[in-house]
Every structure is written in structure tokens, then in C-alpha cells.
Amino acid sequence: MKITVNETLLELHNGARVRDAILGYFTHSGQRVPKRLPSVEDRFGNRIAHDGELAEGNALFIVSGHSKKASSAKLLMALLAFALLSACSSGKLARTSPASETPATFEKKTATAPPAERQAVIFAVNDMHAAIDNFPKLAFIVDSLEAIYPGMLLVAAGDNQTGNPVNDQYPEKGWPMIDLMNATGFDLSAVGNHEFDTGPEGFGNLAGKAEFSFLCANVIMDKSLNVKISPYKIFTLPNGLRLAFLSILQLGQNGIPDSHPDNLKGFTFRSPYETAPEYLWLKDSSDILIALTHIGFEADVKLAETMPAGIDLIIGGHSHTRVEKEQIHNGIMITQAENKLKYGTLIRLAIGSDGTLQRNMQLIDIRNSKKEKPAIRAIVDRYNDNPVLNEVIATSADDFSSYEELGYLMADAQREAAGADIALMNPGGVRIDRLDKGPVTIKHVYQLDPFGNELIVTNLTGKEVYSLMHAAWPVDDRSPLYPSGITTEMTVDAKGDLEEIFILTAAGTPLDMNRVYSVAMNSYMTQVYKYQRSDPGQSLFITTADALITYLKKHTELRSYRGEKRIQIKEK
């Protein structure tokens, strides 16, 4: 995909994230990649998390210096809201009211909607990515707000799953998140691309156990699938207001969401932009029409600017964008609250006696809340105490006694997961240098590979593979890449600079300079190595750690790598 960073055009692999764009920008401009990646904004001035997902044509801008200080009025509003939330506490699992005088205090100090006959209030989060440790704070805030706004709806804009091994490696993958969403009282969730990470059967089981609805209008399912997904849902509030929610999901350049194709078997997808107008009839059946989307902020702007009149509000996800001030595009307010339950958006909609709609939003800081809901904390603690990470998934026949041996293991796993001819592992990505003979656990995998890099497959000629290896040498402090599917012989000069590389295939023949090979590597490597290539690569939407876990579960009796040498280095 093509995106710009500081108006510099970059070509990234399909499925790239913001951090990939930052790394690519510094590499492209010949600058050293900073140890701490800088903050980034979109073209509308919104901050975007480093793990935000990108789409074709996105424009990013690196923020220099310290972040802007909030205005005193904005800071005062945040402090007043925080004071209210800190004063309200509930220990019951069901939503309950805090002290009776608190709601009046909050409304007096922070309510900005004008007097109206009827009001609808929504608290929205997005891209939670299994951040279960923030759920007790979320639940406390939800209870406190619902005491002020009875009938408030709690919604998620997709990607509830994937990002925490406690959830992702649970025996029923993904269940901790659904359990916590049920306990917190979610009313609705968009389908995000990571909802499919549990596969058709897993998603079907989780959706069946969810006490809230999953929405997606641009998905078509085979009749053989049993996944509870609806295109829309209408809520009638106690005051009689009818809210219609429509949901659409992003599609990559390959016409499917950003998930491994194996997880999407039985699903087909339509363009979100062609699908959404077909549901404008919902406006005739409701007072307020809301698009709960998972397409990214810039795509939400495109939707707002191209849709016929009808949608009143877009609650978005996917790009991990932090919308701190009201964004109105073509008369439609668009919100998003970054990711991982760092923030939530309080949205107030009021219809006056003359039928006019007033809207306002306020970003609420969840992560830094000092109060928690004890009952939800107990659920989270139970999941964190679960011995999932200590599960033995393989047994090693011998000690691994070096970074090199473990690097070979990681490369073998990635090559098998990708079905690639070659896999390459950067030495800086191997984080432990020893693994004792005996049981291998999931925790060992995350100690070895903690970064969350995705697995990328790029089609490279033999000449481009040579170019890659030459480019990697200085970046990796004059250390070689750990290969699978090939062996390498390197010649360096007296200063340690790389002069020659000779590569042999697994069959023992020289690498064909003109043949195209499929090469697997992690997403970090695709961006920091500046080398000749015509294919930017394709993400498989699995992490390299997941690839290794799958490999170990398949090869439960792990062979010895002792003494194995796939790299030879000699001085000229």
C-alpha cells in the first residue's frame, strides 16, 4: 500500500501499521531510527497509536517536541469529570447508582447539551485488543455514568480480540473478553477484522455466548456457518427515542478484512461504501441513525463526505485514532477513542421540541482512573491467575545455548507458517540466548519473541535476497540474519564490513539470481532494511510469536539444534 509520512511517499506491505510507516520513513530518509518512536497525527490533527492499522492513501505527520498542553477550560472539564468518577463507587456486579447527590453535581458542571425534550447518551470504546486489565476501571466509569444517564448505551467499534496472551491463548480462545464484556454490560459491538482471529467456528461460539449483538452489514456468510451477525439494530430508549445502528467493516486491497485468509473461510465481503447507502431506509424507522464502523478514521471521513444525507453520527474504530475534539465532516460527527481501553467517548445526542439534533462528545480517560469495580477486578484476576502461559506445548530434546540456535528455530517456524521458500530472522528479534532441555511453555515463547511483530511474506528475486542481506548487515551491528531454507557464507574485511555473500539453497545449489522466492520475515525487518525490491510484501495477520506457538504445538518433540551452523563468516 502507498501512504505518506511528512508528505514523503512510502510503499509498505499490505496490512502495515503506523509503527511500520514510522520505521519506513526514517529508513527512507537515511535517518537513524529513534529508540523511542515519535508521536504521529493524521491529516486532521488526531493522534494515532503506533499499532494503528493503515489503509491505502493515509497521510501521517510526525509530531516534533512535546505534546500541546490542554487549555485550562478543557483541563478543568476533565478534572471535574474525573472528580465525579472518583467519587462514585460500586462493588456489585450489576450496574448500580453511586451517592444520590453526585449525578446532580456532574450535570451542573459538565453537561453541555442544551435543554431538550429527549436525550440519548452513548459510551463508546474501540479496538480493545484484549486489554482485560483496564476492564475494572471501565466498569466503574460505566456504572458512574449510567447513574447520571439512565438508559445509556455501551458500544464497541470492533477489534475486541487479539493482543493479550491471557485471552488469546485461553483454552477457548477469546472467551475472557466476551465474559468481561458481558459482565460490564455491553449492548453492541461492531465486527472488527480481529473478531475473525478465532476462525469461523471460534467466532461463532463466542458470538453465541455474547449477551450483546455483533453487527456487520457488508459480510455475507455461507449457510453452513453459525455466526450471529446482524447488519443493524434499533434500540428504543425509555424516553421513546429510537436509535438505529448500522455497521460496516474495512476491506484490504485483496477484498477481505485484515485477517488470515484461513480465518475467513465461508465469509464473503462487499464494499462498505456500496453497502452503507442501502441501509439509509433505517432513518425512516428511527430518530437517530448511527454508523458503528470499523474502517478507520480517514475512511470514516470519506464515508461522511460521500454518503447521501441520513447518518447523524459515526462511531469508528480500526485506525486507533484519538479524537479529542469534535470532528464534524459534511455535517456528521465522527468519534474514535484510540485503543486498548485507554479512553472512551461519552456522546450526548439531544432532539429538541423542534426536531433539531444537538450533538457533543467528550473523551474520557479510562487508563488513569483511580477507581475500579471490585467484582470486575475479581474476574480479571481470575483470568490473569490462569496457568495458560505455563502450558507446556513442546518438549526440547536438548538445550538451546545461543541466540543463533534459537534464531534458527524461530526462522523454521516462520517458514512453515508462511509456506515460504526462505525465512529470515533478525538477531535483535531473538530476546533470550538460552532455553533449557525439557518442557517449553507459552511463556517461553513470549520471552523469546515479545514484540508482537506480524509475519510478512515478500516475493523476492535471488538478487533482491542478496540486496536484503547486504542492507541488514550494518543495521544489525554487523551480525548476520538467521536463515531457514538456505545457508550463507559471508566474507568480511578487517573492519568487519561485509564484502561478499554466497547463498546455497536447502538442496545445496546456489541461489538463482533471477528466480523469485517467497521470503518470510517479521514486519520490523520489512521497514528498517533499505534494499532493492519490487514487492512490498503481504502480512499474514498473525504474529511471529503465534507462528512459533503453532509450530511447537505441531512439533511437540523438538529436535536438537546443537552445533547446527547455517551461517559461516570468514575474514578476507
Side-chain angles (χ1 to χ4, degrees), residues 40 51 98 114 271 275 338 343 366 369 384 403 453 548 550 568:
V40 173
D51 55 1
S271 163
T275 301
E338 200 169 312
Y343 303 94
I366 298 172
S369 171
N384 281 331
Y403 290 112
N453 290 318
L548 182 53
T550 300
Q568 300 291 336

Side-chain angles (χ1 to χ4, degrees), residues 254-429:
N254 54 3
I256 60 175
D258 291 345
S259 186
H260 195 288
D262 287 348
N263 296 329
L264 301 171
K265 291 180 179 178
F267 297 97
T268 55
F269 302 89
R270 300 179 59 217
S271 163
Y273 302 107
E274 294 176 2
T275 301
E278 297 174 2
Y279 287 88
L280 287 178
W281 60 266
L282 286 168
K283 184 64 175 177
D284 298 327
S285 302
S286 62
D287 299 295
I288 301 172
L289 176 56
I290 300 166
L292 183 66
T293 71
H294 195 83
I295 59 177
F297 188 85
E298 291 197 29
D300 284 330
V301 173
K302 177 181 176 181
L303 180 69
E305 292 178 344
T306 58
M307 279 280 290
I311 292 178
D312 300 298
L313 168 69
I314 296 175
I315 300 172
H318 186 61
S319 55
H320 301 190
T321 304
R322 187 200 314 171
V323 178
E324 298 186 70
K325 59 184 179 180
E326 291 186 3
Q327 290 271 357
I328 308 294
H329 296 270
N330 197 25
I332 300 173
M333 186 166 76
I334 305 175
T335 72
Q336 197 174 148
E338 200 169 312
N339 66 350
K340 297 183 179 178
L341 291 179
K342 299 170 189 170
Y343 303 94
T345 308
L346 178 63
I347 304 164
R348 285 168 285 202
L349 309 165
I351 294 183
S353 57
D354 60 354
T356 58
L357 176 65
Q358 299 291 327
R359 303 160 297 189
N360 65 69
M361 56 78 66
Q362 178 182 351
L363 196 68
I364 302 294
D365 189 333
I366 298 172
R367 178 176 51 181
N368 293 316
S369 171
K370 303 300 182 184
K371 296 289 186 177
E372 295 186 342
K373 185 170 183 176
I376 301 299
R377 167 51 63 191
I379 297 174
V380 171
D381 288 345
R382 173 165 51 85
Y383 283 122
N384 281 331
D385 289 341
N386 192 290
V388 171
L389 296 181
N390 293 320
E391 177 190 351
V392 175
I393 53 177
T395 301
S396 176
D398 201 351
D399 294 331
F400 286 82
S401 57
S402 68
Y403 290 112
E404 184 176 350
E405 292 175 3
L406 287 163
Y408 294 157
L409 170 64
M410 296 169 75
D412 287 347
Q414 292 171 29
R415 183 162 70 102
E416 181 171 298
D421 300 313
I422 300 167
L424 299 170
M425 184 66 206
N426 62 309

Side-chain angles (χ1 to χ4, degrees), residues 464-543:
E464 290 171 331
V465 174
Y466 272 86
S467 176
L468 165 64
M469 289 196 161
H470 275 283
W473 182 264
V475 174
D476 293 326
D477 296 324
R478 298 173 177 175
S479 297
L481 299 176
Y482 303 131
S484 177
I486 57 173
T487 58
T488 60
E489 297 178 7
M490 299 180 172
T491 302
V492 299
D493 63 18
K495 296 180 180 179
D497 294 327
L498 185 60
E499 290 201 349
E500 294 178 344
I501 305 175
F502 186 63
I503 303 175
L504 295 175
T505 68
T509 58
L511 198 70
D512 188 331
M513 300 294 276
N514 297 314
R515 178 183 163 185
V516 175
Y517 298 89
S518 57
V519 182
M521 67 187 94
N522 65 55
S523 51
Y524 172 85
M525 296 166 64
T526 64
Q527 301 309 322
V528 299
Y529 301 150
K530 193 173 182 179
Y531 66 100
Q532 299 173 3
R533 54 175 167 168
S534 58
D535 177 19
Q538 171 66 55
S539 174
L540 296 185
F541 304 108
I542 60 172
T543 66

